[in-house]
Amino acid sequence: MAVKAEYLWVDGTQPTAKLRSKTKILAAGEKPGIWGFDGSSTNQAPGDKSDCVLQPVFVCPDPIRGGDNIIVLCEVELIDGTPHPTNTRAPLRAVAEKYADQEAIFGIEQEYTFFKDGRPLGFPVGGGYPAPQGGYYCGVGADEVFGREIVEEHMDAVLAAGLHLSGINAEVMPGQWEFQIGPVAAPQVADELWVARWLLYRIAEDHGVSATLDPKPVKGDWNGAGAHTNFSTKAMREGYDAIIAAAEALGKKRQEHVDGYGAGIDQRLTGLHETAPWTEYSYGVSDRGASVRIPWQVEKDGKGYIEDRRPNANVDPYVVTRLLIDTICSELA
């Protein structure tokens, strides 16, 4: 029996990288090994030195093809076996290993927006706008919810792939949704998010719909799309002083984090629509208008996690998890 292995990797497109994939046929029981691709077609190599290497790092069942077929997420390497310059997973691995004793875990809330024929699902065909925001968030009914059949199919696929899905919900703007991956340590949480994104794109494709991670898919008085990132270390799960120390540490490196939290962040972090201005840093209990939110339950319990609300929907999860570990764990060490 042959096994279809869908090899996934992150390309070199700027300012926001894309997922690429292709299929390799394996013999039954064969372990997926390294493979190659044309880097000149993915913004990762010049034409006269186009070979790049795919190094498998995360394997899970393929819920779309079913059976024994698999998804193989890869790091991109140069032909000498060193990480490719576009490989953001490699530096994350190094930082995660350095602070492994702090037992950092993440939950990433991935927002996205469905588009069809150049408009978000739920926006009138031919132009114009739907009713203002208000009833769409966690709504029900054909007049308020759009694309649920794709969302349900995606949820089932993510679970069948064995990923750590913790929930889904309709978001504030029509055609906008969210799924959450975690709590999981890095780099696995980022690996799983990339695979879950690929499954989303692939399933929406079957419905003639595209899923975009544009941080501000519609200009004006409409919510943007983020990837709120929840973070906790062993010390934070044991005491409140570490929670405050973590929040304070992020303020010391505001610009570095903003620079790494996704292209177009200035369009989304305006101070409106449940965001803090990208030029400022703040944190507060139960404050969704702050850069970092401390959940009320965390304050009550005196331990737990914080939510960094700044990352864009289009953020590279390898980058955001690396920045959070490096900034906070160095402070708590």
Side-chain angles (χ1 to χ4, degrees):
M1 290 286 292
V3 172
K4 300 170 188 172
E6 191 70 14
Y7 275 58
L8 276 56
W9 73 96
V10 182
D11 78 359
T13 301
Q14 293 293 330
T16 302
K18 295 182 177 183
L19 277 168
R20 307 283 183 137
S21 73
K22 61 177 184 172
T23 307
K24 186 173 187 178
I25 306 302
L26 306 176
E30 181 183 356
K31 182 179 178 181
I34 63 170
W35 203 13
F37 70 95
D38 172 14
S40 69
S41 297
T42 62
N43 302 301
Q44 288 169 298
D48 60 341
K49 296 179 181 179
S50 62
D51 288 334
C52 292
V53 178
L54 295 175
Q55 179 66 254
V57 294
F58 181 81
V59 179
C60 67
D62 184 342
I64 295 177
R65 288 174 168 151
D68 293 328
N69 300 304
I70 56 176
I71 292 173
V72 183
L73 181 68
C74 302
E75 282 191 25
V76 178
E77 296 180 345
L78 300 170
I79 58 174
D80 64 0
T82 59
H84 191 277
T86 63
N87 179 346
T88 54
R89 188 181 188 273
L92 165 61
R93 277 193 287 111
V95 170
E97 290 167 7
K98 178 179 180 180
Y99 294 107
D101 62 324
Q102 295 198 36
E103 300 177 20
I105 55 175
F106 296 85
I108 302 179
E109 306 171 18
Q110 178 67 72
E111 295 177 348
Y112 58 93
T113 310
F114 287 132
F115 269 73
K116 186 176 178 64
D117 299 327
R119 60 181 174 82
L121 285 186
F123 277 55
V125 176
Y129 296 92
Q133 296 180 157
Y136 305 113
Y137 174 72
C138 295
V140 64
D143 58 335
E144 293 186 339
V145 174
F146 309 94
R148 191 187 295 275
E149 67 280 4
I150 306 174
V151 172
E152 291 284 331
E153 190 175 336
H154 176 249
M155 175 170 59
D156 290 343
V158 171
L159 291 171
L163 308 183
H164 291 80
L165 182 74
S166 53
I168 64 166
N169 59 269
E171 269 300 334
V172 177
M173 194 184 87
Q176 196 175 73
W177 292 81
E178 175 187 298
F179 66 86
Q180 303 105 31
I181 295 291
V184 186
Q188 184 175 344
V189 67
D191 292 340
E192 293 195 13
L193 186 65
W194 277 119
V195 173
R197 284 175 171 179
W198 185 86
L199 288 170
L200 176 66
Y201 303 150
R202 178 61 185 79
I203 290 168
E205 175 188 316
D206 286 344
H207 293 264
V209 170
S210 61
T212 175
L213 304 186
D214 190 321
K216 189 67 174 178
V218 179
K219 310 305 180 189
D221 194 20
W222 301 93
N223 270 42
H228 303 154
T229 303
N230 301 291
F231 179 79
S232 178
T233 65
K234 186 174 185 290
M236 293 167 69
R237 295 189 291 276
E238 293 176 346
Y240 199 69
D241 287 347
I243 297 288
I244 298 301
E248 291 282 347
L250 290 174
K252 298 175 184 177
K253 295 187 176 181
R254 180 196 64 81
Q255 191 62 49
E256 180 182 352
H257 282 255
V258 167
D259 289 345
Y261 279 4
I265 201 163
D266 57 318
Q267 299 174 35
R268 174 176 153 264
L269 298 186
T270 61
L272 303 174
H273 306 110
E274 299 180 287
T275 70
W278 69 273
T279 54
E280 301 174 10
Y281 177 79
S282 59
Y283 69 89
V285 176
S286 197
D287 187 355
R288 282 179 165 78
S291 308
V292 169
R293 178 179 68 96
I294 300 173
W296 69 270
Q297 189 70 43
V298 171
E299 182 187 47
K300 179 181 178 182
D301 294 343
K303 58 184 178 180
Y305 68 98
I306 59 173
E307 177 194 42
D308 193 333
R309 298 181 56 79
R310 295 171 295 171
N312 273 351
N314 60 358
V315 73
D316 180 342
Y318 295 135
V319 173
V320 66
T321 51
R322 173 180 57 80
L323 288 170
L324 285 168
I325 292 174
D326 202 20
T327 295
I328 294 175
C329 291
S330 62
E331 186 78 13
L332 298 182

